[in-house]
Amino acid sequence: MNVLVLNCGSSSLKFQLIETDAERIDSDQDRKLARGIVERIGSQGVITWKGESGPKQRHAEPVRDHRAAIDIVLRWIVSEGSGIDSIQSLNDIHAVGHRVVHGGERFQKSVRVDDEVIDGIQDCFELAPLHNPANLQGIRATQELLGNGVPQVAVFDTAFHSTMPETSYLYALPYQYYRRYKIRRYGFHGTSHRYVSYRYRRLHGMERDQLQLITLHLGNGASACAIRDGSSIDTSMGFTPLEGLVMGTRSGDIDPQIIEFLMHKEGIDIGEIDTLLNKRSGMLGLSGLTSDMRELLEEETENGDRRARLAIDIFCGRVKGYIGSYMARHGRVDGIVMTGGIGENAAPVRARILNGLEHMGIELDEAANDAIRGGDEGRISREGSPVSVHVIPTDEELLIARDTFRVVEDRPRRW
């Protein structure tokens, strides 16, 4: 089955075309036929793509909206110079899988898109006003361009965390606010946490109900997840992706009273507070330089910049704190997995997070850690360490493609 995977952001469209089926999934031999991104939707767009063979291509052209972006992608896929030999026409696209950020309490697994599902995604607009509308635009545009005969599947970022117990997802607010408005922790990055936990299980030959993990998705957005018996039981992001770890431009956990204090002192409104906490805080706010961990590490190493070091230390300290919290609260942990742009690429950050946790059974192998580079998969804890630590590159698009195949073919979930 050839599955087109779409991730529609507010002004961007990421896509992959993946060939998958039960046999390929069992042997981890899914075939990636193409990938790319359309940026700056709504203006002069920049389109980057690469087929299975041939060079990466890049050009600019006006892209009015998401429908226009998807139309550009579809025309390129079937073009002679795409480098996708197995695709001759749009009929060779058998299904479409969509990343949808928020499924609320309603969607606890991936589902085939129909009118009822579209209504449900709309109902979650107020929970994810920057993401769900764009996700739905992608679904509607694809229906129009490919027709209703091509099945579409919605894969929700929040679904993996739907197994959290009330003790993890409820806030200590008056209970009626949960009943009235569903104010609770939902968690995000669920597709990533689910994929790397699956991959860890495959590496160790484990059954799903044997899995006791902490997974760390560390990138510009960052979150931690506690997994017991293969299911999410706790996560750091909450009602929105703002809660939890320090991130590139997001503050993570803060005292809520700071909001009122700043509004009074600075004379700013709630919209400006939202911008402050989501776009001007985190490592960018702490360093005053950048939200990019690579640049912060360079500033610290080459220039001895104190605030760059401070931002990195606070980032690592917050991750370390969540590891300790989850181990204290949820008991035995067999492994820790690091993923995401920072988790996969920044060996010094991984070391700074893990050093000092030997009393918790986490023993870093410095040489193994230094040897892991972007795209590599491997163990970075010492042989015999009670808790094994792995770096596993995430692959959310692959999981979306596999879920799309499973839903369309009505097969039980085994991964």
Side-chain angles (χ1 to χ4, degrees), residues 1 39 82 113 140 142 144 164 205 223 246 265 356 358 405 414:
M1 177 182 288
E39 301 173 278
S82 67
V113 174
R140 285 177 163 156
T142 311
E144 183 180 341
M164 287 192 296
S223 63
V246 171
K265 289 291 187 181
E358 293 81 8
F405 166 77
R414 296 191 293 113

PDB file of all heavy atoms in Angstrom, residues 1 39 82 113 140 142 144 164 205 223 246 265 356 358 405 414:
ATOM      1  N   MET A   1       0.843  -1.198   0.000  1.00  0.00           N
ATOM      2  CA  MET A   1       0.000   0.000   0.000  1.00  0.00           C
ATOM      3  C   MET A   1       0.877   1.245   0.000  1.00  0.00           C
ATOM      4  O   MET A   1       1.751   1.392   0.861  1.00  0.00           O
ATOM      5  CB  MET A   1      -0.931   0.015   1.236  1.00  0.00           C
ATOM      6  CG  MET A   1      -1.789   1.281   1.340  1.00  0.00           C
ATOM      7  SD  MET A   1      -2.821   1.306   2.810  1.00  0.00           S
ATOM      8  CE  MET A   1      -4.042   0.062   2.395  1.00  0.00           C
ATOM      9  N   GLU A  39       6.895  25.341   2.334  1.00  0.00           N
ATOM     10  CA  GLU A  39       6.953  26.371   3.363  1.00  0.00           C
ATOM     11  C   GLU A  39       6.368  27.674   2.846  1.00  0.00           C
ATOM     12  O   GLU A  39       6.226  27.880   1.653  1.00  0.00           O
ATOM     13  CB  GLU A  39       8.404  26.596   3.802  1.00  0.00           C
ATOM     14  CG  GLU A  39       9.073  25.337   4.364  1.00  0.00           C
ATOM     15  CD  GLU A  39      10.548  25.528   4.625  1.00  0.00           C
ATOM     16  OE1 GLU A  39      11.333  25.420   3.667  1.00  0.00           O
ATOM     17  OE2 GLU A  39      10.905  25.780   5.783  1.00  0.00           O
ATOM     18  N   SER A  82      10.250  13.038 -10.926  1.00  0.00           N
ATOM     19  CA  SER A  82      10.128  12.950  -9.467  1.00  0.00           C
ATOM     20  C   SER A  82      11.109  11.978  -8.832  1.00  0.00           C
ATOM     21  O   SER A  82      11.419  12.069  -7.653  1.00  0.00           O
ATOM     22  CB  SER A  82       8.704  12.542  -9.080  1.00  0.00           C
ATOM     23  OG  SER A  82       8.438  11.202  -9.495  1.00  0.00           O
ATOM     24  N   VAL A 113     -11.258   8.661   8.326  1.00  0.00           N
ATOM     25  CA  VAL A 113     -11.955   9.946   8.272  1.00  0.00           C
ATOM     26  C   VAL A 113     -13.316   9.784   7.614  1.00  0.00           C
ATOM     27  O   VAL A 113     -13.435   9.209   6.523  1.00  0.00           O
ATOM     28  CB  VAL A 113     -11.108  10.989   7.505  1.00  0.00           C
ATOM     29  CG1 VAL A 113     -11.900  12.280   7.310  1.00  0.00           C
ATOM     30  CG2 VAL A 113      -9.814  11.264   8.252  1.00  0.00           C
ATOM     31  N   ARG A 140      -9.594  18.143   3.994  1.00  0.00           N
ATOM     32  CA  ARG A 140     -10.610  18.546   3.014  1.00  0.00           C
ATOM     33  C   ARG A 140     -10.005  18.744   1.624  1.00  0.00           C
ATOM     34  O   ARG A 140     -10.605  18.370   0.612  1.00  0.00           O
ATOM     35  CB  ARG A 140     -11.288  19.818   3.500  1.00  0.00           C
ATOM     36  CG  ARG A 140     -12.271  19.545   4.647  1.00  0.00           C
ATOM     37  CD  ARG A 140     -12.886  20.799   5.177  1.00  0.00           C
ATOM     38  NE  ARG A 140     -14.089  20.515   5.978  1.00  0.00           N
ATOM     39  CZ  ARG A 140     -14.569  21.309   6.915  1.00  0.00           C
ATOM     40  NH1 ARG A 140     -13.949  22.447   7.195  1.00  0.00           N
ATOM     41  NH2 ARG A 140     -15.656  20.986   7.577  1.00  0.00           N
ATOM     42  N   THR A 142      -7.394  17.234   0.410  1.00  0.00           N
ATOM     43  CA  THR A 142      -7.044  15.930  -0.146  1.00  0.00           C
ATOM     44  C   THR A 142      -8.287  15.201  -0.630  1.00  0.00           C
ATOM     45  O   THR A 142      -8.267  14.526  -1.674  1.00  0.00           O
ATOM     46  CB  THR A 142      -6.297  15.087   0.902  1.00  0.00           C
ATOM     47  OG1 THR A 142      -5.248  15.865   1.471  1.00  0.00           O
ATOM     48  CG2 THR A 142      -5.697  13.842   0.264  1.00  0.00           C
ATOM     49  N   GLU A 144     -10.891  16.610  -1.851  1.00  0.00           N
ATOM     50  CA  GLU A 144     -11.286  17.275  -3.095  1.00  0.00           C
ATOM     51  C   GLU A 144     -10.381  16.868  -4.258  1.00  0.00           C
ATOM     52  O   GLU A 144     -10.862  16.620  -5.373  1.00  0.00           O
ATOM     53  CB  GLU A 144     -11.245  18.787  -2.896  1.00  0.00           C
ATOM     54  CG  GLU A 144     -11.709  19.576  -4.108  1.00  0.00           C
ATOM     55  CD  GLU A 144     -11.660  21.075  -3.865  1.00  0.00           C
ATOM     56  OE1 GLU A 144     -11.624  21.487  -2.680  1.00  0.00           O
ATOM     57  OE2 GLU A 144     -11.652  21.830  -4.860  1.00  0.00           O
ATOM     58  N   MET A 164      -3.550   7.533  30.145  1.00  0.00           N
ATOM     59  CA  MET A 164      -3.151   8.069  31.454  1.00  0.00           C
ATOM     60  C   MET A 164      -4.293   7.950  32.468  1.00  0.00           C
ATOM     61  O   MET A 164      -5.454   8.200  32.122  1.00  0.00           O
ATOM     62  CB  MET A 164      -2.754   9.546  31.332  1.00  0.00           C
ATOM     63  CG  MET A 164      -1.434   9.799  30.649  1.00  0.00           C
ATOM     64  SD  MET A 164      -0.880  11.526  30.850  1.00  0.00           S
ATOM     65  CE  MET A 164      -2.168  12.416  29.964  1.00  0.00           C
ATOM     66  N   GLY A 205      13.501  -7.428  21.839  1.00  0.00           N
ATOM     67  CA  GLY A 205      12.701  -8.633  21.739  1.00  0.00           C
ATOM     68  C   GLY A 205      11.667  -8.764  22.840  1.00  0.00           C
ATOM     69  O   GLY A 205      11.429  -9.857  23.350  1.00  0.00           O
ATOM     70  N   SER A 223       9.248  16.992  25.391  1.00  0.00           N
ATOM     71  CA  SER A 223       8.348  16.391  26.367  1.00  0.00           C
ATOM     72  C   SER A 223       8.901  15.065  26.855  1.00  0.00           C
ATOM     73  O   SER A 223       9.679  14.403  26.154  1.00  0.00           O
ATOM     74  CB  SER A 223       6.944  16.187  25.781  1.00  0.00           C
ATOM     75  OG  SER A 223       6.960  15.274  24.698  1.00  0.00           O
ATOM     76  N   VAL A 246      11.596  22.854  29.702  1.00  0.00           N
ATOM     77  CA  VAL A 246      12.035  24.055  28.994  1.00  0.00           C
ATOM     78  C   VAL A 246      12.227  23.688  27.527  1.00  0.00           C
ATOM     79  O   VAL A 246      12.757  22.623  27.204  1.00  0.00           O
ATOM     80  CB  VAL A 246      13.353  24.574  29.596  1.00  0.00           C
ATOM     81  CG1 VAL A 246      13.945  25.693  28.743  1.00  0.00           C
ATOM     82  CG2 VAL A 246      13.133  25.048  31.033  1.00  0.00           C
ATOM     83  N   LYS A 265       2.781  44.667  35.869  1.00  0.00           N
ATOM     84  CA  LYS A 265       4.053  45.404  35.828  1.00  0.00           C
ATOM     85  C   LYS A 265       4.372  45.937  34.434  1.00  0.00           C
ATOM     86  O   LYS A 265       4.893  47.045  34.284  1.00  0.00           O
ATOM     87  CB  LYS A 265       5.196  44.516  36.309  1.00  0.00           C
ATOM     88  CG  LYS A 265       5.182  44.219  37.799  1.00  0.00           C
ATOM     89  CD  LYS A 265       5.511  45.472  38.597  1.00  0.00           C
ATOM     90  CE  LYS A 265       5.664  45.174  40.075  1.00  0.00           C
ATOM     91  NZ  LYS A 265       5.973  46.414  40.851  1.00  0.00           N
ATOM     92  N   GLY A 356      25.366  12.057  37.023  1.00  0.00           N
ATOM     93  CA  GLY A 356      24.848  12.317  38.361  1.00  0.00           C
ATOM     94  C   GLY A 356      23.637  11.486  38.723  1.00  0.00           C
ATOM     95  O   GLY A 356      23.097  11.617  39.829  1.00  0.00           O
ATOM     96  N   GLU A 358      23.742   8.112  38.661  1.00  0.00           N
ATOM     97  CA  GLU A 358      24.240   6.750  38.894  1.00  0.00           C
ATOM     98  C   GLU A 358      23.514   6.087  40.062  1.00  0.00           C
ATOM     99  O   GLU A 358      23.290   4.871  40.050  1.00  0.00           O
ATOM    100  CB  GLU A 358      25.743   6.777  39.151  1.00  0.00           C
ATOM    101  CG  GLU A 358      26.586   7.187  37.953  1.00  0.00           C
ATOM    102  CD  GLU A 358      26.638   8.698  37.743  1.00  0.00           C
ATOM    103  OE1 GLU A 358      26.133   9.458  38.617  1.00  0.00           O
ATOM    104  OE2 GLU A 358      27.197   9.122  36.708  1.00  0.00           O
ATOM    105  N   PHE A 405      -2.327   2.087   7.100  1.00  0.00           N
ATOM    106  CA  PHE A 405      -2.506   0.737   6.548  1.00  0.00           C
ATOM    107  C   PHE A 405      -3.374  -0.113   7.473  1.00  0.00           C
ATOM    108  O   PHE A 405      -4.312  -0.783   7.021  1.00  0.00           O
ATOM    109  CB  PHE A 405      -1.139   0.078   6.352  1.00  0.00           C
ATOM    110  CG  PHE A 405      -1.212  -1.406   6.116  1.00  0.00           C
ATOM    111  CD1 PHE A 405      -1.590  -1.916   4.880  1.00  0.00           C
ATOM    112  CD2 PHE A 405      -0.926  -2.305   7.139  1.00  0.00           C
ATOM    113  CE1 PHE A 405      -1.669  -3.284   4.670  1.00  0.00           C
ATOM    114  CE2 PHE A 405      -1.008  -3.671   6.942  1.00  0.00           C
ATOM    115  CZ  PHE A 405      -1.383  -4.159   5.698  1.00  0.00           C
ATOM    116  N   ARG A 414      -0.601  -4.002  16.445  1.00  0.00           N
ATOM    117  CA  ARG A 414       0.410  -4.836  17.091  1.00  0.00           C
ATOM    118  C   ARG A 414       1.706  -4.070  17.314  1.00  0.00           C
ATOM    119  O   ARG A 414       2.711  -4.664  17.651  1.00  0.00           O
ATOM    120  CB  ARG A 414       0.686  -6.079  16.221  1.00  0.00           C
ATOM    121  CG  ARG A 414      -0.486  -7.005  16.071  1.00  0.00           C
ATOM    122  CD  ARG A 414      -0.091  -8.309  15.445  1.00  0.00           C
ATOM    123  NE  ARG A 414       0.316  -8.134  14.060  1.00  0.00           N
ATOM    124  CZ  ARG A 414       1.556  -8.315  13.619  1.00  0.00           C
ATOM    125  NH1 ARG A 414       2.513  -8.634  14.463  1.00  0.00           N
ATOM    126  NH2 ARG A 414       1.844  -8.153  12.331  1.00  0.00           N
TER     127      ARG A 414
END
